[in-house]
Amino acid sequence: MLKEFKEFALKGNVIDLAVAVIIGGAFGKIVTSFVNDILMPPMGLLLGKMDFTNLFINLSGKEYPSLKAARDAGAPVISYGVFINTVLDFIIVAFAIFLVIRQINRMKKEPAPAPPNTKECGFCFSAIPIRATRCPQCTSELK
């Protein structure tokens, strides 16, 4: 059983997957930082100096100046500003993955088409094997 596990764990696909997960996690952190630290501040400025991370709906009925204060008080909140940031993260990551996959697909060689193994009879237009000298349907001699 240990030998089977070792063979499974050392297969190229498992190692490739592990590397992809690690790189994906790091890439996710970069995208999150890009959205939170670079993209959202100018968007908030354009929308009237709004901080998206502080957009929330308070369900407790009490007033809180920020999302952090509401969470520290244990108040139930719907933090839709954080959700907006997360959606933007997802869109950017999905678009980046789309671009990478698109480039990989462009680099792949398409397999050469298989040579035909049949030809068409010039008299009855039926499909016959390439090496045939007579048509099995109409018995015509083929060139």
Side-chain angles (χ1 to χ4, degrees):
M1 187 164 146
L2 185 60
K3 183 179 176 183
E4 285 180 77
F5 177 72
K6 184 178 174 183
E7 286 176 16
F8 168 76
L10 296 180
K11 279 186 181 177
N13 293 344
V14 174
I15 294 171
D16 291 345
L17 180 61
V19 169
V21 166
I22 291 168
I23 290 174
F27 184 69
K29 289 179 184 179
I30 291 170
V31 170
T32 299
S33 175
F34 173 74
V35 169
N36 292 336
D37 303 329
I38 295 173
L39 187 66
M40 294 311 282
M43 265 179 99
L45 186 65
L46 290 173
L47 296 172
K49 297 183 180 182
M50 183 183 298
D51 181 12
F52 279 85
T53 56
N54 270 327
L55 296 177
F56 67 98
I57 298 172
N58 185 1
L59 301 176
S60 70
K62 294 181 181 178
E63 289 293 319
Y64 295 101
S66 69
L67 177 62
K68 184 178 181 334
R71 285 189 173 161
D72 288 345
V77 294
I78 298 174
S79 51
Y80 65 92
V82 175
F83 179 74
I84 291 171
N85 284 353
T86 305
V87 168
L88 285 172
D89 280 356
F90 171 76
I91 290 170
I92 292 170
V93 169
F95 185 69
I97 290 171
F98 165 75
L99 292 177
V100 168
I101 297 298
R102 187 173 169 207
Q103 291 303 319
I104 289 171
N105 287 339
R106 283 185 179 173
M107 287 190 269
K108 285 183 182 177
K109 281 188 175 179
E110 290 188 26
N117 57 359
T118 60
K119 59 184 175 182
E120 191 174 80
C121 174
F123 299 98
C124 70
F125 302 106
S126 62
I128 55 172
I130 290 280
R131 296 178 57 203
T133 56
R134 282 193 178 268
C135 176
Q137 305 298 322
C138 67
T139 67
S140 300
E141 248 186 83
L142 303 171
K143 297 177 186 175

